[in-house]
Amino acid sequence: MTFSICVREPYVDEEGEEQTRYGVAVTTRLAGVGTLCPFASENGAVATQSLVNVDLGRKGVEYLDDGLAVEDALEALLNADEGREGRQLHGVGAEGEFAFSGEECRPWFGHTVGENYTVAGNLLTGADVVSAVAETYETNAPDIDAASGSDDDGEKGGDENAGGDKNAGGDDETAPLAERLVDALAAGHAEGGDKRAELHVQSAALLVRTTEDREMTPYYDDLRVDATETPIEDLRDTYDLATEGYEMALERYEEEYEDDEDAGN
């Protein structure tokens, strides 16, 4: 069941501090994928799929939170799993990427590992699904070198206007990670996605976490569509509504803050 993507992105917050965001997004031709497959924290992102073992995702993120490297964390869990060859597990940590597809996963299955991301899928129409997800993410990704605030001489730069809810390198044209994760899923879906066309009930989910301590977490960073025939379209609609709600809440918060300040003068 499923194809998914895990991402790590460094960026510079409004205070000029270097931060990292992690994201994971997934879709499948079954209901409730958001309850089973995607896991993330301020230390990494993990997706567990195929013959799903939820503990691989939950414990994988716990191990990342404890400071283990993603390869060490996920390989240790797989080594202790008797159903290893039926699993598909991938993710990113503070440094490094990891992906595994067991020999008993059902075709087409496979994965790819790129710089700061991993993509994996099984029961797909073909390898083009994974390739499309990866290529779309790469095309839309921010400039990682600019995001880390380094110039050619290794000096820290950064853009004080690169806020926590935007993306890296001061590029205001780069969409939020959550939106770009939906785009990546859409590309895979357009290539055929999950091949089980007879299963019309589908689902999709995304999760984004960051090292930044934000006053408000954007509502669009944790979204699920649990049962629908149009998972990507519905996830995008949910993202758009969540973004609208978040912007309205920010505006109201700012107005109330200004009223409080005026009352104190």
Side-chain angles (χ1 to χ4, degrees):
M1 75 190 223
T2 308
F3 62 93
S4 58
I5 178 171
C6 294
V7 170
R8 173 184 64 250
E9 291 184 350
Y11 67 99
V12 178
D13 66 19
E14 291 180 339
E15 304 300 321
E17 297 294 327
E18 294 182 6
Q19 307 288 353
T20 305
R21 63 169 66 86
Y22 300 93
V24 53
V26 58
T27 186
T28 190
R29 282 188 177 271
L30 293 172
V33 70
T35 68
L36 299 173
C37 296
F39 296 84
S41 75
E42 66 273 17
N43 296 298
V46 175
T48 173
Q49 54 200 50
S50 190
L51 184 59
V52 176
N53 181 346
V54 176
D55 282 344
L56 296 179
R58 179 175 56 80
K59 291 182 179 179
V61 167
E62 288 177 0
Y63 284 1
L64 295 180
D65 290 342
D66 289 339
L68 271 68
V70 65
E71 182 175 359
D72 295 337
L74 300 188
E75 190 63 65
L77 289 168
L78 285 168
N79 287 340
D81 184 0
E82 294 182 356
R84 171 189 176 104
E85 293 307 322
R87 315 296 188 202
Q88 199 166 44
L89 182 67
H90 66 108
V92 295
E95 295 182 359
E97 303 83 25
F98 176 86
F100 170 83
S101 297
E103 293 181 358
E104 295 176 9
C105 292
R106 299 180 65 183
W108 186 91
F109 70 87
H111 60 258
T112 188
V113 176
E115 184 179 2
N116 299 306
Y117 74 87
T118 57
V119 181
N122 62 90
L123 279 168
L124 303 181
T125 56
D128 288 347
V129 176
V130 166
S131 296
V133 174
E135 290 168 5
T136 299
Y137 171 71
E138 285 189 356
T139 298
N140 296 334
D143 185 334
I144 297 300
D145 291 334
S148 63
S150 297
D151 60 23
D152 292 338
D153 297 322
E155 297 295 330
K156 290 184 179 179
D159 186 334
E160 292 182 357
N161 293 321
D165 297 331
K166 297 185 182 294
N167 287 287
D171 183 0
D172 291 337
E173 298 303 316
T174 304
L177 177 54
E179 180 178 344
R180 291 182 285 115
L181 290 174
V182 177
D183 291 340
L185 291 183
H189 198 70
E191 285 294 334
D194 189 319
K195 70 180 182 180
R196 297 168 295 177
E198 74 279 6
L199 300 178
H200 67 280
V201 178
Q202 304 172 60
S203 59
L206 68 84
L207 187 60
V208 176
R209 294 289 182 260
T210 176
T211 55
E212 184 179 357
D213 185 14
R214 299 178 290 190
E215 289 188 19
M216 290 182 64
T217 299
Y219 304 154
Y220 51 74
D221 275 355
D222 187 352
L223 301 176
R224 285 168 40 186
V225 175
D226 282 343
T228 178
E229 295 185 19
T230 53
I232 307 304
E233 293 90 337
D234 290 357
L235 187 63
R236 191 181 299 282
D237 289 345
T238 302
Y239 169 82
D240 289 341
L241 284 172
T243 300
E244 181 181 351
Y246 177 65
E247 292 172 349
M248 291 174 63
L250 279 181
E251 182 178 352
R252 182 170 182 175
Y253 174 82
E254 290 171 356
E255 290 175 352
E256 291 179 352
Y257 180 77
E258 291 174 358
D259 290 343
D260 289 343
E261 278 197 330
D262 291 340
N265 291 333

